[in-house]
Structures are given as C-alpha cells and as structure tokens.
Amino acid sequence: MIAILTAPGICTSEPEIRVAGSKPADLFRTTDLGSGIGVEIDLSEPGRWRSVTVHRWEQADLVLLRAVIGPDAVQDLERWRDERNAAGSRRLEAELSVDFTPARPWLRAAVIDALDWWLQLPLDQALLDAERAVVHARAARSLPAGVLRRDVADRALVLARRSAGGFVDYLDGLTGSAESLPRALFSGLSRLVNGYAALGRRVIDGPDDDLDSVAAAWLRLRAVVPVAATFRLPDHSVTYQLSDRPLLNTTPLRSSVDPRQLRARIVDTDVRAQEIRMVRSGESSVRVIVPAFGARQQPALLADRLMVRLVDSRSGAAQEPVLLTLRSGREAERFGAATPVFTEMVPLRGASPEYLRADVFDPDSHASPARSDTDDALLRQRRGQFVLGEWRRAVAESRLSRGAKVRRRRLTRLLDVLTQTGPDAGQPAFFGGPTPAEIAQLIDHPGARSETRHPWFASTEGAGELLVAELAAVHANR
C-alpha cells in the first residue's frame, strides 16, 4: 500500500496521512473508528483495507492504529513523518507494508458496516446489530488493557442491549414456528448467544435483564427445536423475481435508484428497471413515487429522512431537495401501488421534466448526484449491488442446504440478468467483480481449483463470512 503524508494545515479537510491501495472499487464503505482514524473496506477484498486515513497524527490513538495496520507500519509512519518535518517538505510518499493479522476483528466490523449499507436482502436488523456488537466486543479483547479497550467494550455492550429485544423476538419466533434448525444457522446463532454471554460477564453491578433475556430465549428454542443436518429450500426461493417495471430507458419520466446515495433495504431496487416514477401534475410540478423495500413498515428513523432532488441532465445542477413521505395501504393504492411507497410533490421550478433525473438520497450521503441513468459509475454500482446480493444469497442457500444445486440455479439466473443488463462477457460487471464469463465458468465447473477462480468468489470467506442475518433471511423463506 502507498502512504501519503501531507503537512497539516495545507487543507483542513484532507487527512494528514492516507494509506491506500491502487485498485478501483465500487462496493466500498468507510467506517470511522474514532480519534480521527478512518478505514475503508472493499467488499470484493474483505480481508484487507482499501484505505486507512489519519486526520491528524497528534490526535490519533496510536494503540488503535497499531491494531488496524500493525505496530511496524505505525513505526514507519512515525519515522517518515519526522523525516518530512525535518526536511520541511509538504508531502511525502512511500510504500508501506501493512500487517492485517491484528486487524482481523476490525476488518470484520468494517465488513458488517459495509454489508449493512450495500446488501439489498431482507435482513433482520436486530440480528445484524447483535452480530455487530459481538464483533466489536471481540475487537475490544484484541486491544491491550486500558481506556480504549474499555471504551470499545462499553460501546459493544450498549449496542448488544439495544438489539437484545429484536434478537429475542427472532429466537421466540423460531421457537413457535420452526420444525428444525439447519446446522449452519444453529452454529451462527449459538455464536451470537455465546457472545452475549461474554458481554454479560462484563456487567459487575448485578444481572443484566437485556442480555439475560437472550440466553433465556435461546434455552426455550433449544428445548423444542432440533438441529437438522440439511434444509430443503422451496423451489420459488431460488428464482430471482424480476419486476414488471419497464426495462431501462424505455419509458420517459423514470429514474434509477443510486445505491451510493442511500443505504440498502429502504427502497426497492431492480437492476433491470428504473424504479422511480415522476408523474406530471400540471405544468409546475411532478409527483415522485419510489417503492419502499418490502411490505413491512420502515423504521421511522430511516423513513422520515429520505429526500429527493431533481437533477438537470444537461448541466448537472441539482434543485432544492424535498422530504419524501412514506405512504401505505389505501394511501399507496392511490398511486397505483399495492405495497408502501415514498412519495411527494416536487416543484419543477421552470425546468422541463424530460431533462430531469429524480435523485433519491439520504441527507448523510455526500456523493454527488449522477446526471443521468446511463452514468457509467451508477450502472456499475447498481450491478455491483445486485451481484453482491445474489452471490451471497447463493452461498447462504448452499450453506443451509449443503448442496451445490441451489447455488447453480441462482447463479444461472444471475447470469441471465447480467446478460440483459451488463457489459460484454469478458468485461467485469463492476470494479472488483467477476466477468459474466467467469460466472459462467463457475457454473459449468464448480469443482475447479480456487486459485483459478476470480477472487470475488472467495469474498464470503474470512472477514467476508456470511452474516447470521443472511442465513436467517434464507431460512425465513422456508
């Protein structure tokens, strides 16, 4: 990796130190670790950092930085910083060797954050947050005794308590409905329950009702639901449900969801279609309608902050944003939708709607809006999000059923969709991803040596291992 050391004060928004690789990526996400240290993970290569930044060296916690890049790398950066200062230079570049061994729990934590943003699958958020808490507790144990270790462990404990109620609801739901548990899901849930028990041992002022409730729910489940060696998936579960929305660029007054602008599982997406409708309302406004993800009620924390802005496809200028409103039931039916939608009237401000793109976004997103739905980066990242979800679902289905047949069927369907929407067979579907030809080769030769496959097909190993929530989502489709 290349380390770039910049003298502080030249640009207050730029980090003093940036350590980064050179490969382009689409499925990346940044996590703020605190004390001015940020890490970026690429879901195509989850076993290494895409970049590490230190905003200001003097304010950084070097104990944390050593855990992230290794003590030798921190020593090198400290020496180069002294050399840069002694020479009076404003910028220094050098090749840095990073040790990822001590960073394993931190890599996993960053992967969970990235999957939470990118993974467009019906995940149970409480399960995801429970796993996040357990992984952060493991990261805390990797640190030497001291203030930082206590702080990281305390934050993990707070998150574990916050997600305990949803975790218990999930376990009790299995107790009341599941005939058996696939071994892979049982093992994952057992790992989370044990992680909660370890966090409970940190509580020194008596029993913790939230953490104890998870252990009690787990005992209830184990008492009545046996573990099964295999799990049979229903045939419909391995079919990618294509929407009946028009194919890309065939209908005016439609726009595509940009996954860079809002986290997954808020609005519905279909890589083949333009999901956002703009319906003319007189001469001065349009009604923007975008389908919500799934039929369940969206969390108010997320649903109450979604916005839309109209972007001029010729100039790139964006109009003032408007807050979208979630409508369901009969209110959604008024707009021709059987499931919940986000919608609002948006003024045109004199612009012609034929030259406007509706950009739906979260106000915390700092990505610039795409001018058009044919923007290369937008198309790549939409394909990337689609391939990510279908590949990880294929692995989860194979893991639960202990068979390769379901994976082959899902990958065949994935390849069919990419053939309709993606690049040529020899071109990667997105930066860091496989080509359609490489997916076809995996379908035809599933037993080929791993070293001959594209690295993407190892992205569900190590730090990229399946979330327990992913296994649960497949199992819920029983």
Side-chain angles (χ1 to χ4, degrees), residues 112-125:
I112 292 175
D113 288 348
L115 289 173
D116 194 8
W117 179 271
W118 284 103
L119 199 54
Q120 185 78 344
L121 297 179
L123 304 181
D124 186 306
Q125 190 66 41

Side-chain angles (χ1 to χ4, degrees), residues 130 133-134 159-161 163-164 167 192-200 211 214:
V134 169
L159 182 56
R161 286 169 172 159
S163 54
F167 193 1
L192 296 190
V193 172
N194 289 337
Y196 265 63
L199 279 166
L211 304 184
V214 171

Side-chain angles (χ1 to χ4, degrees), residues 227-403:
V227 178
T230 59
F231 170 67
R232 180 175 175 80
L233 289 162
D235 291 340
H236 68 80
S237 70
V238 293
T239 301
Y240 177 63
Q241 300 296 326
L242 296 175
S243 80
D244 57 2
R245 291 191 289 270
L247 294 180
L248 194 65
N249 296 328
T250 61
T251 304
L253 300 184
R254 284 185 179 265
S255 301
S256 299
V257 172
D258 187 344
R260 298 167 295 186
Q261 299 288 7
L262 72 164
R263 56 172 288 181
R265 304 182 305 284
I266 303 299
V267 302
D268 192 20
T269 59
D270 183 338
V271 73
R272 300 195 327 149
Q274 292 167 292
E275 305 92 341
I276 306 168
R277 284 190 292 155
M278 290 187 288
V279 180
R280 291 292 296 261
S281 180
E283 296 299 318
S284 61
S285 62
V286 292
R287 175 169 290 280
V288 172
I289 305 170
V290 56
F293 180 80
R296 292 185 301 178
Q297 185 72 20
Q298 297 283 336
L301 181 64
L302 304 173
D304 293 346
R305 53 187 285 116
L306 202 62
M307 307 189 81
V308 63
R309 56 194 165 196
L310 300 181
V311 181
D312 192 302
S313 60
R314 297 164 297 182
S315 67
Q319 296 185 9
E320 286 295 314
V322 173
L323 186 67
L324 291 169
T325 304
L326 181 62
R327 304 292 186 187
S328 58
R330 291 186 176 179
E331 288 187 320
E333 290 174 2
R334 288 175 49 209
F335 309 114
T339 56
V341 295
F342 292 95
T343 183
E344 197 55 71
M345 296 292 294
V346 182
L348 290 171
R349 296 184 171 90
S352 174
E354 287 74 16
Y355 297 106
L356 293 177
R357 176 180 173 270
D359 186 60
V360 175
F361 70 103
D362 184 291
D364 285 342
S365 171
H366 301 297
S368 299
R371 285 192 182 189
S372 87
D373 292 333
T374 58
D375 178 82
D376 285 344
L378 172 60
L379 293 175
R380 280 199 324 269
Q381 293 186 343
R382 281 170 60 83
R383 287 195 300 266
Q385 185 178 53
F386 169 68
V387 173
L388 174 74
E390 291 300 293
W391 166 248
R392 294 185 69 90
R393 193 196 299 251
V395 175
E397 289 169 343
S398 179
R399 191 79 54 83
L400 290 183
S401 65
R402 294 195 170 189

Side-chain angles (χ1 to χ4, degrees), residues 174-231:
L174 288 179
T175 302
S177 64
E179 295 180 357
S180 63
L181 273 186
R183 185 165 298 280
L185 179 57
F186 172 85
S187 298
L189 290 171
S190 179
R191 187 174 69 251
L192 296 190
V193 172
N194 289 337
Y196 265 63
L199 279 166
R201 290 192 287 271
R202 292 194 69 254
V203 180
I204 59 176
D205 55 351
D208 189 295
D209 291 342
D210 291 325
L211 304 184
D212 291 348
S213 67
V214 171
W218 179 241
L219 290 176
R220 290 193 295 271
L221 174 64
R222 293 197 61 183
V224 298
V225 181
V227 178
T230 59
F231 170 67

Side-chain angles (χ1 to χ4, degrees), residues 50-116:
R50 182 172 186 257
S51 72
V52 178
T53 57
V54 180
H55 187 66
R56 291 294 177 264
W57 184 269
E58 298 294 348
Q59 300 169 5
D61 191 318
L62 297 188
V63 173
L64 177 59
L65 191 59
R66 291 186 189 100
V68 170
I69 61 175
D72 291 344
V74 173
Q75 191 173 22
D76 287 341
L77 289 175
E78 201 161 18
R79 174 168 52 84
W80 293 337
R81 184 173 179 271
D82 290 341
E83 291 175 359
R84 184 205 63 200
N85 292 340
S89 60
R90 302 177 66 181
R91 180 184 173 95
L92 183 150
E93 290 189 24
E95 188 170 346
L96 181 70
S97 177
V98 174
D99 182 5
F100 296 103
T101 303
R104 286 173 181 167
W106 300 96
L107 286 163
R108 179 59 176 172
V111 166
I112 292 175
D113 288 348
L115 289 173
D116 194 8

